[in-house]
Amino acid sequence: MSPASSHDAVFVARRRFFDEGRSVSGIVAAPILRSWERCAEQGLDVSRSPSLEPPTAHELRELQERHARLGRLARPELDALQGDARLTGSVVILTDTAGVVLDMVGDAAFAGRAAEVALRPGVSWNEAATGTNAIGTALVERQPIAVHGAEHFFERHGILACAAAPLIDPRGNVAGALDMTGPAAIRHVHALGLMRLAAEQIEHRFFSEGFEHCTMLRFHADRALVGTPREGVLAFAEGVLVGANRRGLDLMKLDWSAINRAKLAALLPGIRPSDQIQPLRGPEGARLYGRLLDAPHRATRGRPIAPRPPTTPAPSGEIEPILGEEMQASLSRAVRLVNAGIPLLLLGETGSGKDVFARRVHAESARRDKPFVPVNCAALPESLIESELFGYEAGAFTGARRQGAPGLLRQADGGVLFLDEIGDMPLALQSRLLRVLQDKQVSPLGGGKPVPVDFALICATHQSLSTLLAAGAFRQDLYFRIAQYVVERPPVRHHPDRLALVRRLWRQLGGETAGVELSAEVERLLAAYEWPGNFRQLVGTLRALLVLGEPGQPVDVSALPAEIRAAAPSCDMMVSAPAPVSLAEHTRTALQAALDASDGNVSRAARRLGIDRSTYYRRLLKEKERGR
């Protein structure tokens, strides 16, 4: 599409189009104009703000569960883009096919501003509801779209600058959208390109499930791009095209009407299955390179390979951290304590499995048939956390639902409330939470009558609460209320047999069933790596290797992320002669290594470790003080 219209030109176009009813063709980008025309035809009033009610937390969880597969396939891109979004004061958004926001990551302060115009999880941003905007318009136009400031249909949305790309599934259906939104005062020139690339990677990942029976053609005009998310992909069942990505169709000069019609024999006469890259002659004699991989249920290298299963054996979509005997004993004790109504505090580094441990406690407790309500205190904007936790009466504040909302504390009644990153809860809310724990009742915003609640409480943090207590950032009375029993989740680097851990997780992810093996060198490097992001980073890396691997071929070292390959020179020392190193020394080493690998860029270093930039600064300063 053409570049976004200039600021002044858009205001001229708005006056001509909305006030005078005149043509503005050539003044604003064609997709923006088409969207304005559609919105006007649907009867939307440009001077009125749309009425958008956010869902309850229960409704939002049900929505996210219905789209769990899309959320799982998009998660690597959301995680990768989160740091870029924070640096630019933006948020990255995943929506379903109707434009309903499923997930939002990035800058918490801007997320609070966006919520003022109802840009928040659970709210629909399709064009019919919210007028011209990047999400809704990209879904209608089926192409990446940038909508800046006054290009939005509704004036109230002029504070936003958005760029979105639709997600097209292998059968040509719109599966959702990926969007980056920030303040209109800052033009993020790379946002649209980032969304294009990220959408391409998600669409490439769509083929990891549901096409196990197919013969797959993976190809590109550039030999070096075969085997990467930039490659074209065509899936054939009994020789007929049943799935494709957009790049694959473009390279073959096809469109989506070719699905269930085009035949492999006609597209590439004489091609034979091979796991080696071979030259291909495309349409009009175009030079292509690719691999034709036979369906996995047929013989590969003389032995049958089972179909690749979905990579989410656990109902929650998570691979559980392996619990040794000591942690199994801690789990049993935790269950007994929760049954007795005694609060738990889980300590551990980011990615060490605190959330999974809490869910296991709930699943084995007497409250297993009642709700498990997780709340990430660090993810909720400070302006929203009070209403989300305690609920509110009708009309309690601008934008409140007409019927009010019960709040997460009341939704946990009878079950387990899990407050993750409790150390990030603002002081004012700490005092309100303490009153709830003391009085066993919740008073919603807006002066509503107190409502009795009964829930078991599990809190978690990766921060040192004793440090926060000393700094006056955490209430001492609340600490003693929530920390009546403390469980510490150990980091992956303290696991007694990391090689066995890697192999067990690989089996859980379905690597053996899919016939994809890790080479001995890859296993050695994975076992030797320190894993600063702990189980979350380890499982994410293994998932990526499973996607990149091919049945019957060991995964090679070249498939490993750069930071793991870079750590290889010191691997022998770490594996063969592990010296007794303190936790503080490990922390200092991980912080400095991430900084070195990021050329001194603190934001990139924080992203490498899977933590916030502010958290990285605090830890770095703390460890430097210790080292003096």
Side-chain angles (χ1 to χ4, degrees):
M1 60 168 287
S2 57
S5 311
S6 72
H7 178 79
D8 293 338
V10 172
F11 279 101
V12 170
R14 289 186 71 87
R15 186 179 67 250
R16 290 185 181 179
F17 184 87
F18 294 114
D19 298 339
E20 303 170 10
R22 295 166 56 190
S23 171
V24 293
S25 178
I27 302 179
V28 296
I32 301 296
L33 177 56
R34 289 195 295 268
S35 177
W36 284 2
E37 291 171 343
R38 286 191 296 268
C39 294
E41 288 170 1
Q42 292 167 14
L44 297 183
D45 187 342
V46 70
S47 64
R48 291 188 176 184
S49 297
S51 178
L52 302 169
E53 290 192 0
T56 65
H58 176 69
E59 292 168 341
L60 178 58
R61 282 201 304 275
E62 286 188 336
L63 173 72
Q64 291 170 333
E65 287 171 2
R66 286 199 303 272
H67 296 283
R69 179 177 181 270
L70 177 61
R72 184 179 71 252
L73 294 176
R75 174 51 52 189
E77 272 58 58
L78 290 175
D79 289 345
L81 290 165
Q82 184 169 224
D84 188 84
R86 285 175 176 159
L87 287 174
T88 56
S90 308
V91 291
V92 177
I93 296 166
L94 175 69
T95 82
D96 67 6
T97 185
V100 178
V101 178
L102 300 175
D103 203 352
M104 177 185 291
V105 301
D107 184 73
F110 181 74
R113 287 188 60 200
E116 295 174 6
V117 292
L119 183 55
R120 57 183 295 182
V123 176
S124 174
W125 275 68
N126 65 57
E127 207 177 64
T130 51
T132 305
N133 71 91
I135 293 170
T137 305
L139 290 171
V140 173
E141 296 277 336
R142 288 176 62 103
Q143 65 170 314
I145 296 288
V147 180
H148 189 272
E151 290 179 331
H152 289 84
F153 186 84
F154 288 109
E155 294 176 358
R156 194 179 180 204
H157 297 159
I159 66 170
L160 306 174
C162 317
L167 302 173
I168 309 297
D169 75 14
R171 294 176 176 85
N173 302 311
V174 176
L178 196 67
D179 169 89
M180 177 174 277
T181 294
I186 302 174
R187 187 178 289 275
H188 190 177
V189 295
H190 301 299
L192 191 61
L194 285 173
M195 293 304 98
R196 279 196 180 103
L197 284 173
E200 191 172 57
Q201 290 175 312
I202 295 171
E203 290 172 358
H204 187 266
R205 202 172 291 117
F206 282 157
F207 290 91
S208 64
E209 300 175 13
F211 290 86
E212 294 84 357
H213 65 291
C214 293
T215 296
M216 307 295 293
L217 177 64
R218 299 179 177 274
F219 65 113
H220 200 280
D222 184 343
R223 184 188 183 98
L225 293 179
V226 178
T228 75
R230 306 294 304 278
E231 69 185 358
V233 183
L234 301 181
F236 298 88
E238 303 300 326
V240 177
L241 182 67
V242 294
N245 66 358
R246 287 181 276 186
R247 188 171 298 275
L249 293 176
D250 289 344
L251 289 169
M252 282 293 175
K253 300 191 181 304
L254 301 172
D255 57 30
W256 291 109
S257 65
I259 300 293
N260 296 323
R261 294 176 52 194
K263 296 183 178 181
L264 176 60
L267 294 174
L268 296 168
I271 189 172
R272 293 288 182 267
S274 172
D275 56 9
Q276 301 298 316
I277 296 177
Q278 55 185 305
L280 307 172
R281 185 171 295 279
E284 301 173 1
R287 186 76 163 178
L288 303 172
Y289 300 89
R291 284 195 294 252
L292 184 66
L293 305 172
D294 212 351
H297 67 269
R298 299 176 187 166
T300 301
R301 293 199 173 189
R303 62 185 182 90
I305 300 296
R308 187 176 301 197
T311 57
T312 54
S316 65
E318 294 291 335
I319 296 296
E320 293 196 359
I322 310 301
L323 300 181
E325 291 184 9
E326 185 177 344
M327 287 311 299
Q328 286 285 2
S330 293
L331 177 65
S332 299
R333 288 193 293 268
V335 170
R336 291 169 60 188
L337 292 165
V338 163
N339 287 341
I342 296 175
L344 301 179
L345 176 62
L346 307 181
L347 302 179
E349 298 177 5
T350 298
S352 59
K354 299 184 293 293
D355 176 88
V356 175
F357 188 89
R359 291 178 186 275
R360 282 284 298 272
V361 171
H362 169 254
E364 297 185 19
S365 74
R367 297 176 180 260
R368 67 178 68 89
D369 296 325
K370 297 296 183 179
F372 176 84
V373 179
V375 182
N376 190 325
C377 300
L380 281 174
E382 190 167 336
S383 59
L384 298 178
I385 189 172
E386 186 172 20
S387 60
E388 290 287 336
L389 279 176
F390 301 100
Y392 54 85
E393 295 294 298
F397 53 87
T398 302
R401 292 168 63 91
R402 284 192 290 270
Q403 67 272 35
L408 295 168
L409 298 185
R410 285 170 62 184
Q411 289 185 29
D413 189 41
V416 172
L417 176 70
F418 176 52
L419 296 179
D420 197 7
E421 301 302 350
I422 185 72
D424 289 293
M425 179 176 283
L427 271 171
L429 295 189
Q430 292 177 27
S431 60
R432 285 206 66 184
L433 176 62
L434 181 62
R435 286 199 299 274
V436 171
L437 299 180
Q438 290 171 338
D439 302 339
K440 301 291 185 183
Q441 59 183 18
V442 176
S443 297
L445 299 179
K449 181 181 178 181
V451 179
V453 288
D454 168 35
F455 53 75
L457 180 65
I458 303 177
C459 298
T461 181
H462 70 276
Q463 301 189 61
S464 169
L465 290 187
S466 59
T467 302
L468 295 178
L469 286 168
F474 201 85
R475 293 179 63 104
Q476 190 174 47
D477 46 6
L478 178 60
Y479 173 77
F480 289 117
R481 173 73 65 167
I482 67 174
Q484 295 180 29
Y485 190 83
V486 177
V487 177
E488 186 162 0
R489 289 285 304 151
V492 168
R493 64 179 174 273
H494 289 173
H495 196 281
D497 189 345
R498 276 184 266 172
L499 181 58
L501 174 65
V502 167
R503 289 172 174 172
R504 186 169 173 182
L505 288 172
W506 186 251
R507 287 195 297 272
Q508 286 191 14
L509 286 164
E512 290 187 357
T513 307
V516 180
E517 301 175 1
L518 298 175
S519 68
E521 182 65 6
V522 166
E523 285 189 334
R524 186 180 76 83
L525 296 180
L526 292 174
Y529 190 58
E530 290 288 288
W531 299 108
N534 292 297
F535 278 98
R536 185 180 300 141
Q537 183 189 12
L538 172 55
V539 171
T541 299
L542 291 175
R543 283 191 193 277
L545 294 179
L546 182 55
V547 171
L548 295 173
E550 299 292 348
Q553 295 183 9
V555 176
D556 186 70
V557 171
S558 61
L560 288 172
E563 62 266 25
I564 298 177
R565 297 200 306 271
S570 58
C571 286
D572 289 332
M573 180 182 67
M574 290 189 292
V575 173
S576 60
V581 181
S582 68
L583 177 59
E585 183 60 33
H586 271 303
T587 302
R588 280 194 294 272
T589 301
L591 292 171
Q592 190 59 50
L595 193 63
D596 292 342
S598 303
D599 297 324
N601 186 301
V602 172
S603 298
R604 289 206 299 270
R607 291 203 299 274
R608 281 177 175 271
L609 297 178
I611 59 179
D612 292 340
R613 182 181 180 180
S614 58
T615 302
Y616 182 91
Y617 268 125
R618 285 198 304 272
R619 289 192 180 186
L620 188 62
L621 291 173
K622 180 180 175 182
E623 295 306 325
K624 284 184 177 179
E625 289 174 359
R626 281 181 176 176
R628 288 174 182 169

